[in-house]
Every structure is written in C-alpha cells, then in structure tokens.
Amino acid sequence: MHDISAFFDFTNHPVESTLICFMMGLALFLIICLVRAVKGPKACDRLVAVNMMGSITMVIIACLCVVLDEGFLADICLIYSLLSFLAVVLFAKVKIGIYRQELEREEAVLEQESIDILVKENTEGKNGNA
Amino acid sequence: MGTLELIRFIAGIILLSVGFVTFLTELVGVFHFKYVLNRMHAAGMGDTLGVFSSMLGLIIINGLNMTSVKFGLIIVFLWFTSPVATHMLAEMECGADGQYKDECRVSATVKELGEDE
C-alpha cells in the first residue's frame, strides 16, 4: 500500500505536496457542502448540495490519482461521475413521478365528488317533482 | 527539476488555483442565496468550469498518457451530464413545489398570462 504522508515533503516532492494541499482545501469545501446538505430547507437544496459534493469528490480522486501515480483511480473517478449523475437524475425523476401521481389522484377525487353532487341534485329534483 | 517541468508545474498550479477559486465562489453563492433556483445557478458553475480547469491542470501536470485521456473523458462526460442534472432539479423544484412565483420576480405580462390560463 502507498503511504500518502511520504509524499508530503516540499523539498523532495514539490508537485505532490502542492496537490496534497489542494486536496486538503477541497476536503474542507466538502465538509461545508455537507453543512448545506443537512441545513437545506427543501429536498431540492439537499440535492444541489449533493451534486456539488459529487463534483468536488471527483476532483479529489483525480488529484489522488496523480499523487499516487495509479492509473486505475481515473477509472474510479469516471465511475463516480456516472453514479453521481444517476443518483441525482433518479431522485428527481422519482420525486416528479410521485407528485404527478398525487395530482392525478386529487383530480380523480374531485371528479368523483362533482359526479356525486350531480347525481344527488338529479335524484332530489326527481323526488321534488314526484 | 528542469525548465520544462517547472513551466508545466507552474501552469498546472495556476489552472488548479482557478478551479479552487471557482469552487470557493460556488460555495459562497450556495450559502449566500436564499432560494434553490438561485443556488442552482451558483452550483452549476463549479460542475463545469471548476472541474474543467482542475482537470486541465492535472492533465498538464501529469503529461500525456492514458490517465490524461481519461481525465479528458471525465470533462466531456460532465459537460453533457451536469446541465441535464441541473435541468432535472429545476423541473423538480418548479413542478413539484411550485413556489417559484413567490420567490422570483415575474414580469406583469407573464403573470397575467399565467393567471388567465
């Protein structure tokens, strides 16, 4: 296994050390994004924060790929971007679908109520005539 | 460290710093604005420009090999998917909750048209 602390040495590994500092800053951003995701008043705010966290995590993984000089981490980064996109789109689709279903159900209930009222008026009118 | 390597290092660090500042702007925007659609505007910037400049800096630092090609593929993929994801989120906000007329300033003609329907 690689030890990432071995690269944190500005005299011998200047590029790697700078990249590790960059990753530290991005990790701080990630924590602040998490605060937004927890605080967000609506589901949409949370999803926006999760989307941001996905893109920042991708950059961190890409930096790690360059620091450790391991090619397979780029594949992991690609798959992470796919999964992040899939999660956001799936959640939004499901939420829109649930909303539309509820709307249709409400409309059906309203329609049924109006039919009931019409039927009631009709029967009352007939009774009155009789 | 040779001259070419030094130039590559400095160029890469400058591009990475641009990405870092973009992410910082994104974060400030997300905490500054009060409504989701405004926050989305700030958040979409980091997904495209922030990741693009960071990945470009990493490509310059890494040199041309298979890993750099994969980074380029990530940029291309993200430029296609990030607007789609943002569009889905906006559709979810406007379709499911429908409070955007209270939050956003809608011009009079559009408002009247909406009320007529």
Side-chain angles (χ1 to χ4, degrees), chain A residues 53-104:
Chain A
M53 281 172 74
S55 60
I56 292 176
T57 311
M58 268 161 46
V59 176
I60 291 179
I61 295 174
C63 285
L64 198 68
C65 172
V66 174
V67 170
L68 296 181
D69 199 19
E70 292 279 11
F72 67 88
L73 282 172
D75 297 329
I76 293 176
C77 188
L78 202 53
I79 290 169
Y80 195 90
S81 71
L82 276 161
L83 283 180
S84 166
F85 171 66
L86 189 72
V88 169
V89 168
L90 211 64
F91 194 87
K93 271 279 182 197
V94 167
K95 187 97 192 288
I96 293 169
I98 288 171
Y99 172 73
R100 286 198 179 139
Q101 238 175 12
E102 278 179 2
L103 211 67
E104 276 175 12

Side-chain angles (χ1 to χ4, degrees), chain B residues 50-116:
Chain B
V51 172
F52 171 70
S53 42
S54 304
M55 291 288 176
L56 209 61
L58 285 178
I59 286 172
I60 288 173
I61 287 176
N62 201 29
L64 268 184
N65 49 26
M66 202 57 204
T67 311
S68 307
V69 176
K70 281 170 191 164
F71 287 161
L73 279 178
I74 291 168
I75 294 174
V76 171
F77 181 76
L78 215 70
W79 274 15
F80 277 109
T81 58
S82 168
V84 175
T86 310
H87 178 86
M88 294 296 297
L89 286 176
E91 195 183 343
M92 178 180 141
E93 168 64 24
C94 293
D97 292 340
Q99 294 175 342
Y100 62 97
K101 275 184 185 169
D102 306 332
E103 302 280 349
C104 302
R105 194 173 295 155
V106 185
S107 71
T109 50
V110 176
K111 213 170 189 174
E112 282 162 13
L113 279 176
E115 280 168 0
D116 283 344

